[in-house]
Amino acid sequence: MPFTIAIDGPAAAGKGTVSKAVAAHFGFAHLDTGLLYRAVGAKVLDGAEPVAAAHALLAADLENDALRTPEVAQAASKVAVIPEVRAALVDFQRAFARRAGGAVLDGRDIGTVICPEAEAKLFVTASAEVRAERRYKELASKGIETSFQEVLAEVVARDERDMNRAEAPLKPAADAVMIDTSDLGIDEAVAAAISAVETKRNPA
């Protein structure tokens, strides 16, 4: 039986880490849907037209290590506001979500648009300052030079763009379980997510 777990949230809230851990715990397949947009963004930076890039996307394109750079993240956020790009990627995500054996998808519109019928929905969030600090440390550890203020400005700008776009804005589904990771360690956040999913899988 398919069982879909939709995990949404803003950049650097920890949803990717939580999603991978939840998928591993339940033995489900995992899809970071943000990588789809990053892969399209990377193609656009290389000169491709956004909608054509989205239609031509292959699973292998998600394996590119260069998808994690700040430049690609910004490009991804920009192509994600194009309705035709989103439409091209919807089928890919929905097919993945209903695969046999269960699936975890994390992104920004999984519970609201891609999989509104998902059996479990989580919204992982944290304050902009906490998220910027996490991203700043992550970039510094990779030798990418920037400042905390620059990263914070990028996080705030990205939130603004994601939350206010006309097509599939970032927001929690009405029935999503909220998990604020501002003051949680990774293990605590994962435990909260697993508990929320268990409640949906085995209702009393």
Side-chain angles (χ1 to χ4, degrees), residues 1 3 12 25 37-38 40 42 46 79-80 90 99 102 120 158-159 161-163 169 178 187 199:
M1 284 288 290
F3 187 96
H25 177 84
Y37 292 95
R38 283 174 179 262
V40 173
D46 286 337
V79 300
V90 164
R99 61 172 48 199
R158 181 130 187 224
D159 286 352
R161 197 157 54 228
D162 290 345
M163 291 176 180
M178 302 291 288
D187 290 346
T199 299

Side-chain angles (χ1 to χ4, degrees), residues 31-179:
L31 177 64
D32 172 357
T33 64
L35 279 182
L36 300 176
Y37 292 95
R38 283 174 179 262
V40 173
K43 286 177 180 286
V44 169
L45 290 176
D46 286 337
E49 191 278 320
V51 178
H55 279 291
L57 200 65
L58 302 171
D61 294 325
L62 308 183
E63 306 297 326
N64 185 352
D65 288 340
L67 299 183
R68 294 294 182 186
T69 65
E71 294 78 17
V72 170
Q74 289 299 317
S77 186
K78 287 169 185 168
V79 300
V81 303
I82 302 171
E84 294 84 359
V85 168
R86 304 196 71 81
L89 299 178
V90 164
D91 290 344
F92 186 105
Q93 296 171 76
R94 285 182 175 156
F96 187 97
R98 299 317 285 171
R99 61 172 48 199
V104 179
L105 286 80
D106 73 81
R108 285 172 172 71
D109 64 347
I110 309 304
T112 53
V113 175
I114 304 300
C115 303
E117 305 300 319
E119 284 78 9
K121 299 176 195 171
L122 310 179
F123 192 87
V124 179
T125 189
S127 72
E129 290 74 18
V130 166
R131 291 185 287 122
E133 181 69 22
R134 290 174 185 165
R135 182 55 55 85
Y136 174 65
K137 287 177 178 173
E138 179 189 346
L139 293 173
S141 73
K142 294 176 179 174
I144 298 173
E145 287 195 25
T146 184
S147 70
F148 171 74
Q149 290 303 326
E150 279 183 277
V151 176
L152 178 59
E154 281 182 9
V155 165
V156 171
R158 181 130 187 224
D159 286 352
E160 183 73 16
R161 197 157 54 228
D162 290 345
M163 291 176 180
N164 294 307
R165 64 190 180 207
E167 191 84 10
L170 168 66
K171 63 180 181 180
D175 53 348
V177 176
M178 302 291 288
I179 299 176

Side-chain angles (χ1 to χ4, degrees), residues 7 12-24 30 32 68 104 106 124 134 138 181 185-187 189-190 193:
I7 303 183
K15 69 179 180 294
T17 303
V18 168
S19 298
K20 284 184 193 126
V22 167
H30 171 246
D32 172 357
R68 294 294 182 186
V104 179
D106 73 81
V124 179
R134 290 174 185 165
E138 179 189 346
T181 67
I186 291 171
D187 290 346
V190 169

